[in-house]
Amino acid sequence: MDRVIIFDTTLRDGEQAAGAALSVQDKLDIARQLEKLGIDVIEAGFPISSPGDFEAVQLIAREIKKSSVCALSHANAEAIDRAWEAVRKAKKPRIHIFLSASDIHLLYQLKKTREEILEISLEMVARAKKYTDDVEFSPMDASRTEPAYIYRIAEAVIKAGATTLNIPDTVGYATPQEYGDLIEGIFKNVPNIGKAVVSVHCHNDLGLAVANSLEAIQRGARQVECTVNGIGERAGNAAMEEIVMALKTRSDFYHLTTNIDTTQIYKTSRLVSELTGFAVQPNKAIIGANAFRHESGIHQDGVIKKAITYEIMDPKSVGIPSSSLVLGKLSGRHAFKERLAELGYIMDEDSLKHAFQAFKELADKKREVTDRDIESLIAEELRTVTEVYHLDHVEVSCGNHNIPTATVRLIGPDGQAVADAALGTGPVDAVYEAINRIVKVPNKLTEFTVKSVTEGIDAIGEVLIRIESNGVSYSGRGADTDIIVASAKAYMNALNRLLAVKKVRK
Ligand code: KIV
Ligand code: ZN
């Protein structure tokens, strides 16, 4: 097989990242984008872990048609039944069972023998197999397990019906050579290995997740488990975009393909960053803000003469919008709509009307409107959080001899405008205090980042924040040429998410 199956676990292992909290609607939005990206298998969640996870997996299973939808399960009957209940309506359902295999886990955590683990694994694979043909099994902490025992488990679970055998480097401990040897050993020592796809699942504790995954692929693995932007438990999982682009850019070396439409990578990365509230570091490979920026004069000179001198990938191939002028103040609605379609956005008339209005306002403030600006503006329009409160007006007074003061006006759930004012330690604090006086939901601001979408003094500022209420965190995003307005929008976005969740829980 010369194609690598891309198994995305952003919605399961990715969401296990400390501080990530996605609503059911966020998860559905991400799943839809993953399907557009061409992901083969979407691990949508861990149904037994919470009612919210169950609901999200069930919803995704009903909606997604092209990708397989996978539910994670402990190796026990109740968890498997719950996983099946959540994915059974999927066009292509998969159950993924995991059970620890290393002596460290068996001795200190499970207090079970190897024989007991083997028996439970077989029994549970057989149980899942009664529900669906597509069953995956993971001997957890495989990279710290004696290889001979992994071979025994592998042979047994494949015999019981597992069609994918996943080999997790659960704690990100393996080196590429060791991990590759383990995968090669499986092909050499498991007689029925031809009946299953060998999968890899690498964590990034030593920064080796992508290197380990690629080495495993070299040694015969044909499914790779990864997450968008590499988010996940602790230091995260192998980054989907890095693996896919390594396989594509170095196809001369790997001679392998994937089903991924790489032009959707940037949009997917932005969506995941926005909804999880995790900003992407500027030097992040493939999708970081500096990934295609050339600073040195020699490099710039080379790229102007011929891009290939210093660029190994075309930024367009990962869907990075160009930062050169595309539209201006005089551009009409038709040109705007066409540009949106070229960027892959199809909007209904109502959203288009709002977006065009926002574009006109931006074009009035900014000399040049680029694809990056449009992309940031559209992210605002496509946000699916239903607003309970809408930011109608914000005004601040500040300076080195002024006490920062803010006045805000919000439109409430009853359609009435409510205004209030507050002082703060700075302009953003004053705005947040004024909003708090109206919305009255106790919360704590735990993260605040601001960055510019493009270069220049008139650039759009993008604010990503995270607030915490009752131990749950909510992210918010806002964009505007005025960073105080962007900050107010981000706060309203996070508050509206919080209020939407409260409404559902009532
Ligand atoms: O890292 C791990 O071992 C896992 C398993 C559930 C596959 O995430
Ligand atoms: Zn994992």
Side-chain angles (χ1 to χ4, degrees):
M1 186 172 136
D2 59 3
R3 183 170 76 78
V4 177
I5 296 167
I6 305 294
F7 175 115
D8 182 279
T9 183
T10 305
L11 298 174
R12 199 278 298 169
D13 220 334
E15 215 226 358
Q16 279 175 226
L22 296 168
S23 68
V24 172
Q25 183 60 50
D26 292 342
K27 289 184 186 178
L28 183 60
D29 288 350
I30 291 175
R32 284 187 179 130
Q33 180 57 32
L34 291 175
E35 186 177 43
K36 245 194 218 166
L37 176 69
I39 292 293
D40 300 288
V41 187
I42 298 173
E43 188 163 55
F46 190 4
I48 194 84
S49 68
S50 73
D53 244 44
F54 179 87
E55 192 192 335
V57 177
Q58 200 173 44
L59 198 62
I60 291 167
R62 286 191 179 132
E63 283 267 332
I64 297 298
K65 299 288 175 243
K66 288 196 214 132
S67 318
S68 298
V69 178
C70 174
L72 184 69
S73 173
H74 291 302
N76 70 52
E78 189 197 351
I80 290 172
D81 296 353
R82 191 87 176 130
W84 175 244
E85 192 51 35
V87 283
R88 58 195 279 265
K89 290 280 164 60
K91 193 143 185 241
K92 295 186 246 173
R94 174 180 294 191
I95 298 176
H96 175 190
I97 304 166
F98 72 98
L99 184 59
S100 286
S102 68
D103 286 342
I104 302 173
H105 284 205
L106 266 53
L107 183 66
Y108 297 110
Q109 198 179 14
L110 301 187
K111 306 206 186 318
K112 289 204 185 309
T113 64
R114 287 186 179 184
E115 293 311 313
E116 284 171 313
I117 294 291
L118 201 58
E119 202 176 306
I120 299 169
S121 306
L122 296 188
E123 217 181 288
M124 292 305 129
V125 167
R127 185 177 189 98
K129 197 72 182 177
K130 284 196 196 135
Y131 291 132
T132 172
D133 249 359
D134 194 351
V135 177
E136 172 168 335
F137 183 82
S138 290
M140 192 155 78
D141 205 16
S143 56
R144 292 193 299 169
T145 305
E146 190 192 325
Y149 182 52
I150 293 286
Y151 307 152
R152 278 185 70 203
I153 297 182
E155 186 177 353
V157 294
I158 293 170
K159 210 163 157 196
T163 42
T164 301
L165 173 73
N166 183 41
I167 303 299
D169 181 21
T170 304
V171 290
Y173 181 74
T175 65
Q177 175 83 42
E178 277 170 352
Y179 194 59
D181 287 350
L182 176 60
I183 301 299
E184 204 172 295
I186 288 171
F187 280 106
K188 286 188 180 144
N189 294 289
V190 179
N192 56 356
I193 197 65
K195 291 191 176 148
V197 172
V198 174
S199 166
V200 290
H201 177 113
C202 298
H203 279 271
N204 207 28
D205 299 68
L206 294 173
L208 293 171
V210 170
N212 283 342
S213 304
L214 290 171
E215 182 62 29
I217 289 170
Q218 273 285 88
R219 310 278 196 109
R222 285 296 175 269
Q223 174 177 286
V224 62
E225 303 198 353
C226 47
T227 59
V228 176
N229 301 340
I231 63 169
E233 185 82 40
R234 304 180 311 278
N237 289 60
M240 175 278 299
E241 59 280 0
E242 294 179 22
I243 289 169
V244 168
M245 289 313 288
L247 293 176
K248 182 176 165 127
T249 310
R250 296 306 313 274
S251 62
D252 61 316
F253 179 78
Y254 290 107
H255 303 289
L256 291 165
T257 59
T258 69
N259 265 347
I260 300 297
D261 172 1
T262 60
T263 63
Q264 293 289 330
I265 285 180
Y266 180 75
K267 210 182 281 175
T268 313
S269 159
R270 293 273 299 172
L271 181 70
V272 169
S273 166
E274 181 187 326
L275 295 180
T276 56
F278 294 137
V280 172
Q281 77 205 52
N283 61 321
K284 167 81 179 65
I286 319 293
I287 34 89
N290 291 348
F292 293 94
R293 266 189 200 159
H294 305 277
E295 199 60 26
S296 122
I298 295 177
H299 290 204
Q300 286 176 350
D301 174 64
V303 169
I304 289 166
K305 287 177 177 147
K306 190 85 179 160
I308 198 176
T309 51
Y310 292 94
E311 250 173 28
I312 60 164
M313 294 166 272
D314 181 348
K316 280 199 215 100
S317 70
V318 288
I320 295 192
S322 106
S323 51
S324 50
L325 171 71
V326 285
L327 293 175
K329 206 170 160 174
L330 300 175
S331 305
R333 193 181 147 96
H334 186 68
F336 179 66
K337 189 175 172 181
E338 279 203 342
R339 192 67 212 138
L340 286 185
E342 278 163 26
L343 291 172
Y345 294 110
I346 311 293
M347 301 179 102
D348 61 38
E349 274 309 303
D350 218 32
S351 309
L352 181 67
K353 202 171 130 196
H354 281 121
F356 185 61
Q357 180 66 30
F359 160 72
K360 279 290 182 193
E361 282 166 19
L362 179 65
D364 264 345
K365 290 186 208 159
K366 215 172 168 284
R367 276 174 299 125
E368 298 179 343
V369 179
T370 67
D371 281 348
R372 277 184 189 238
D373 295 319
I374 294 177
E375 201 255 340
S376 169
L377 193 137
I378 295 306
E380 206 107 317
E381 284 305 315
L382 294 183
R383 193 155 295 127
T384 41
V385 178
T386 325
E387 287 195 311
V388 181
Y389 284 93
H390 174 73
L391 179 72
D392 184 42
H393 179 93
V394 55
E395 202 178 307
V396 290
S397 135
C398 59
N400 60 347
H401 296 298
N402 271 3
I403 297 173
T405 312
T407 309
V408 297
R409 188 170 59 230
L410 308 183
I411 309 293
D414 51 3
Q416 297 294 313
V418 196
D420 215 322
L423 307 177
T425 51
V428 174
D429 184 46
V431 169
Y432 286 17
E433 285 301 327
I435 293 172
N436 286 344
R437 287 174 66 89
I438 302 171
V439 179
K440 294 190 179 75
V441 181
N443 70 82
K444 198 171 101 202
L445 180 71
T446 53
E447 268 176 57
F448 181 96
T449 46
V450 58
K451 64 170 190 173
S452 70
V453 170
T454 50
E455 297 87 16
I457 196 75
D458 59 355
I460 290 185
E462 192 172 72
V463 174
L464 278 179
I465 67 158
R466 194 188 290 279
I467 60 173
E468 212 175 282
S469 175
N470 286 330
V472 183
S473 84
Y474 304 86
S475 61
R477 175 196 178 273
D480 201 280
T481 48
D482 181 324
I483 57 165
I484 304 298
V485 178
S487 306
K489 285 181 178 173
Y491 191 45
M492 292 307 301
N493 184 229
L495 280 178
N496 278 316
R497 277 177 194 285
L498 190 163
L499 291 167
V501 171
K502 269 185 122 183
K503 221 161 111 190
V504 173
R505 287 200 180 138
K506 254 185 203 165

